[in-house]
Amino acid sequence: MMVYIQAVAVMVLLGAGLVLLLLLAGRFLCNYGTCNVTINGREPLKVKGGGKLLDTLYDNQIFIPSACGGQGTCGYCKVRVLSGGGPLLPTELPYLTGDEQAKQTRLACQVKIRNDIELEVKPEYLNVKRFRAVLSSATLVTADIRELHFTLCDGGQLEFRAGQYVQVSVPAKGGSVFRAYSIASTPSHPEELELLVRRIPGGLGSGYMHKLQVGDEAEFTGPYGEFELTAGDTELVCIGGGVGMAPMRSLIRHLAEVEPERSCWLFFGARTEEQLLYQKEFEALRKRMPNLHVVYALSEPEKSPGWNGETGFIHLAAERHLQPGVKRQAFLCGPPQMLSSARDILLGKELDDKDIFADEF
Ligand SMILES: Cc1cc2nc3c(=O)[nH]c(=O)nc-3n(C[C@H](O)[C@H](O)[C@H](O)COP(=O)(O)OP(=O)(O)OC[C@H]3O[C@@H](n4cnc5c(N)ncnc54)[C@H](O)[C@@H]3O)c2cc1C
Ligand code: FES
């Protein structure tokens, strides 16, 4: 038995020694020199090799979405690496479909720059900008959700589509990390930025956003996101809960400004009445938007004795109210399970998958 334990200990020590040696070799011996990074066939960037593609692009003012801050857990940082990216890593596989793999799609946070590299990124990423903003006011709208209003510094303007998001740079040990927050304000006020942030116990980004004081400066990049409300007579359907309200509020307030007659549904689910958001605001909007329908539903109504509105899960409320056969675009914002149930209901109401946009958070 003793011999066995000694053998295991020796193996563990040898393994640890080997890992240390490899790390030291990587640190001191691997010098990748200057590498060319060619993006969408443009003039190559000359960069110092050895860094992560995502970070190197960021340092060169190319901002790729990265909701998890480069930890390889969100799958947002997809780019096509046409050459020089090295083999696909096991950490990337869960986030890439077979089709994406065939098209050389990679997670930028997992690719290391070891040589010249050729990329294709979505053209809109090249329009993402970094900006600073000052917190001008902040209010708690529920026990754990804070509404924050920022004014962009130096006359900056953020051109965005309703429903898009920004990434806030959060100070952290050894640098900054990034967290995504949806824009709740409307594109008609590009000099402002309104966000809704739920405090997650122990959360780095949400903790930072809840601690910011009026007058403090924060740094953002944006805009990001696929949400795109098309003009026309298509009915708009928003389904969500919690801070998922942020992009839905932007979309509906934008509609109130540009197409107040357009038909629009808001389905908002919460456990209890205290978690409902902006009931009075939407009530007021309904006076200007004759075809706005607002449905709030509580999943734990027994905890809100005065509640006489709808009850149950919000996707079931959508199932009850939406008639099939209407041309629609849907925007789903909330926890993953709510989104997947809502998507199934919408597909059952004959919505095309391409007309369903979803942001999970
Ligand atoms: C496109 C997009 C838009 C988003 N928009 C918003 C928004 O408008 N408002 C907003 O508040 N958030 C939004 N989020 C979520 C936000 O980006 C952060 O993930 C969130 O604030 C948690 O980050 P954190 O740094 O506070 O927590 P972390 O420091 O990353 O995590 C701390 C701990 O909390 C856990 N945790 C992380 N997130 C959650 C969660 N949602 N619920 C429970 N536990 C969690 C982690 O597993 C970890 O254990 C959005 C995310 C995406 C992808
Ligand atoms: S940044 Fe999240 S997976 Fe790459």
Side-chain angles (χ1 to χ4, degrees):
M1 183 65 178
M2 195 60 196
V3 174
Y4 175 72
I5 292 173
Q6 278 174 340
V8 170
V10 169
M11 295 284 282
V12 169
L13 278 174
L14 275 176
L18 198 62
V19 168
L20 192 68
L21 209 64
L22 285 172
L23 285 173
L24 287 173
R27 176 92 174 76
F28 295 110
L29 300 180
C30 295
N31 178 359
Y32 300 102
T34 300
C35 303
N36 289 313
V37 178
T38 308
I39 304 170
N40 296 2
R42 303 191 322 176
E43 184 68 22
L45 297 171
K46 302 247 175 264
V47 306
K48 188 167 172 288
K52 291 279 172 62
L53 179 58
L54 181 73
D55 300 336
T56 305
L57 291 176
Y58 185 89
D59 292 342
N60 285 277
Q61 312 285 319
I62 310 278
F63 305 111
I64 306 294
S66 60
C68 71
Q71 295 171 57
T73 55
C74 69
Y76 273 54
C77 60
K78 289 176 187 172
V79 297
R80 283 184 70 207
V81 180
L82 306 180
S83 67
L88 197 63
L89 302 180
T91 44
E92 299 174 77
L93 289 174
Y95 300 98
L96 301 174
T97 62
D99 189 39
E100 285 173 330
Q101 289 175 36
K103 288 185 174 150
Q104 296 154 293
T105 305
R106 304 287 303 270
L107 296 186
C109 68
Q110 302 298 301
V111 174
K112 192 166 172 178
I113 302 181
R114 296 186 163 88
N115 39 248
D116 291 351
I117 195 165
E118 207 183 339
L119 306 178
E120 197 177 276
V121 306
K122 289 188 183 169
E124 70 235 38
Y125 293 169
L126 304 176
N127 297 327
V128 172
K129 294 192 178 69
R130 179 162 39 193
F131 56 94
R132 284 178 306 113
V134 173
L135 184 66
S136 47
S137 68
T139 333
L140 267 184
V141 289
T142 68
D144 60 358
I145 298 182
R146 193 180 198 207
E147 183 187 300
L148 301 107
H149 292 248
F150 293 90
T151 307
L152 271 59
C153 297
D154 310 320
Q157 302 234 322
L158 174 68
E159 310 287 342
F160 66 97
R161 294 192 302 269
Q164 286 192 294
Y165 65 94
V166 290
Q167 288 189 181
V168 59
S169 168
V170 179
K173 273 187 205 149
S176 345
V177 296
F178 304 99
R179 292 290 183 269
Y181 293 105
S182 297
I183 306 171
S185 37
T186 60
S188 58
H189 291 285
E191 71 290 354
E192 289 172 10
L193 180 65
E194 190 184 317
L195 306 177
L196 275 185
V197 179
R198 180 161 81 91
R199 184 165 16 84
I200 306 287
L204 200 61
S206 59
Y208 168 72
M209 296 298 273
H210 272 250
K211 275 195 208 116
L212 279 180
Q213 301 288 314
V214 170
D216 285 350
E217 258 187 35
E219 194 176 290
F220 301 87
T221 57
Y224 300 95
E226 312 285 323
F227 279 23
E228 184 159 9
L229 177 64
T230 53
D233 55 0
T234 312
E235 186 173 78
L236 166 66
V237 176
C238 295
I239 307 178
V243 275
M245 175 56 93
M248 301 194 295
R249 191 158 168 246
S250 175
L251 283 159
I252 295 171
R253 292 200 292 175
H254 171 64
L255 212 57
E257 289 171 0
V258 298
E259 292 176 276
E261 301 285 327
R262 192 154 152 188
S263 180
C264 170
W265 286 87
L266 168 66
F267 294 97
F268 187 81
R271 289 203 181 98
T272 63
E273 205 170 353
E274 289 77 49
Q275 295 168 347
L276 295 181
L277 291 166
Y278 304 117
Q279 282 164 292
K280 284 193 183 139
E281 179 177 301
F282 286 115
E283 199 48 49
L285 264 188
R286 268 163 40 81
K287 298 201 175 83
R288 282 201 283 136
M289 298 179 75
N291 299 310
L292 169 64
H293 313 276
V294 181
V295 178
Y296 287 91
L298 298 186
S299 60
E300 296 176 10
E302 65 284 1
K303 293 183 180 156
S304 307
W307 178 250
N308 55 16
E310 300 209 18
T311 58
F313 290 124
I314 196 64
H315 64 279
L316 297 176
E319 181 168 42
R320 283 194 296 276
H321 285 277
L322 297 176
Q323 298 305 313
V326 177
K327 202 164 160 250
R328 299 187 166 105
Q329 266 193 308
F331 297 87
L332 317 180
C333 318
Q337 208 168 353
M338 177 190 275
L339 266 48
S340 109
S341 309
R343 181 185 288 275
D344 289 346
I345 297 290
L346 292 168
L347 292 173
K349 300 276 179 190
E350 299 162 19
L351 251 87
D352 199 302
D353 202 39
K354 74 169 175 30
D355 293 322
I356 304 177
F357 298 81
D359 267 344
E360 285 182 9
F361 45 92

